[in-house]
Amino acid sequence: NEFQNLNPEEQANLHIVENMDAQNLPQLMQSVLSLAQTPAEKDMLLLSSLVACGSAMPNLYFRYGISAKRYYPNLQLFIVGSAACGKGIANLALELVKPIHEKMPLIIPGDATYPAFYQSLAKQKGRGYIHESEGSVITDIWRSSTANYNTALRKAAEHETISRARCREASVIENPQLSMVLTGTFSQYHALVPSIENGYFSRLLTLIIDEHQAFSSRYVQPSENAGNQLAAISHQLYCLYERLYFSKPREFTLTREQQARLGKHLETAYPTLIRMLGEDFHSVVLRMAVQIERIAMILSALRLSPLTISHSPLQCSDVDYQTAELIGNKLILHMAQAYQLIKG
């Protein structure tokens, strides 16, 4: 077993949804989670849906750091698990954005060579959503250009310019806003993140699923209303996307108290973990500040009514901040598991 065979108590500590008050989530996200059953399914569906929803929120940003750099609600996620752990439920996140893609191109195939990927991203002016449930896409299709993909995804995570030069042509994609959900085994994950020193590891959210789906659960018939419910949820997201797309850029802000809490929390909660794993893990903790604020921005935007969107700054509520912080805390523990697997 490539995972660490966590005992039930350790597995429970890594669960996200089971350790939060789900009633504090926006109604759209509560509706999504009602389609999952087990704690692992809820975690996979929560995170994959947050990524999908973030891809559908144009013109929202926050400023971070001394340079006040703009960050957008685009997350990149890899769900790592063995076969038969139920990773397929993450595919419901893809269904959320299909109505948007039918009207305005958003989805970029992961089953593509790097030149084709770059061309698709450039055609969509740097905005897109990749969703692949077959890890073989990463190990087979991407094998010949893993370094290119790794560099492009790392730059996209920071909204840095992606460039491509050939003998007869050269082009750049400025300010890329790319969201991504991938699922696969650890060997497939390791093909994309071969080491922790290249910088992409700390930018790629990682969810480790060290559980197996009960055999009997594979024969549970889905609810007759599940399809209608998913269609209603995706329609709500489409309405939000459409209104944001045709609106002016809108800034998201944490309150001063939330900003102070975030910085202090990450500085004081994880020194022991950093000492245990090594100084290289420090970058994961530091970059989680941006990821937490992205998650908080997505949660806050999901509470917006498409009919009442204004151009005034969108301020985070304490409830959404606390939820985002909890998710970030759990993801740091999952990434610590991935860190140990990569280090062997």
Side-chain angles (χ1 to χ4, degrees), residues 165-223:
R166 290 295 182 266
C167 295
R168 296 183 179 180
E169 62 176 339
S171 59
V172 298
I173 300 175
E174 297 182 352
N175 194 30
Q177 297 171 41
L178 178 68
S179 300
M180 182 178 73
V181 174
L182 301 176
T183 68
T185 64
F186 173 71
S187 61
Q188 294 158 353
Y189 169 77
H190 201 197
L192 183 62
V193 190
S195 72
I196 59 174
E197 288 83 11
N198 65 16
Y200 187 46
F201 171 76
S202 60
R203 294 172 171 88
L204 176 64
L205 298 179
T206 306
L207 183 69
I208 301 287
I209 302 299
D210 189 17
E211 301 176 37
H212 293 281
Q213 188 179 38
F215 188 82
S216 59
S217 68
R218 302 183 191 186
Y219 295 94
V220 174
Q221 294 297 319
S223 168

Side-chain angles (χ1 to χ4, degrees), residues 17 29 55 77 98-100 112 120 122 147 173 196 205 209 229 244:
V17 177
M29 197 58 62
S55 74
L77 169 71
K98 280 186 176 179
I100 298 172
S120 296
I173 300 175
I196 59 174
L205 298 179
I209 302 299
Q229 184 176 348
L244 288 172

